[in-house]
Structures are given as C-alpha cells and as structure tokens.
Amino acid sequence: VYAAIGDSERALELFENVNRYQSTRTDVKLEIAKIHFNCDRLYQADEFLNKVLQKEPDNPEALALRRSI
C-alpha cells in the first residue's frame, strides 16, 4: 500500500520487519528488492535478488528485475 502511494521508505520499513520475523519468504525479499531498485539502490536490490534466486532460481520476476540492473 505504501509503495503504491509513493512512500517507499515506509513500505521498505514494513517489508523489512516482515522479513526479520519470516525470513524464509522470498516474496517479501522480492518486494524489498523492487523498492531498492525503484529508489536507485541497485547494490541493495541485487543483494535481495540473490537471496530470492538462491531459493527460487527460476523465479521469473526476480530474473527480469536482475536483467534490469
């Protein structure tokens, strides 16, 4: 919701909190990667994409975002 209304930092904070307590969720890591990517923090986006792709090497959304970096 926050990302949709342009409050990327608040969205990132919420997703990071979820990630802290549910660290196996690749969907959350992918959302964190997208936020970092949209904020031009490509190194951080790539770090989270690596975590997603380690667990889901064929994740099409993660692979597409990786190609954009």
Side-chain angles (χ1 to χ4, degrees):
V1 173
Y2 287 103
I5 62 170
D7 192 349
S8 297
E9 294 307 316
R10 180 70 177 134
L12 181 60
E13 180 182 322
L14 294 173
F15 278 115
E16 285 177 339
N17 282 336
V18 172
N19 187 52
R20 191 171 297 116
Y21 295 104
Q22 298 180 19
S23 62
T24 59
R25 291 188 56 182
T26 55
D27 61 325
V28 172
K29 288 177 182 13
L30 183 56
E31 290 302 319
I32 293 171
K34 288 186 213 174
I35 293 168
H36 282 304
F37 178 80
N38 290 331
C39 293
D40 293 322
R41 295 187 293 253
L42 302 183
Y43 180 79
Q44 291 90 336
D46 195 49
E47 285 183 333
F48 278 93
L49 286 174
N50 285 337
K51 293 174 184 179
V52 172
L53 293 169
Q54 283 176 351
K55 298 226 181 219
E56 297 178 15
D58 297 323
N59 183 304
E61 200 171 359
L63 290 169
L65 187 57
R66 166 61 63 72
R67 285 190 294 272
S68 299
I69 291 180

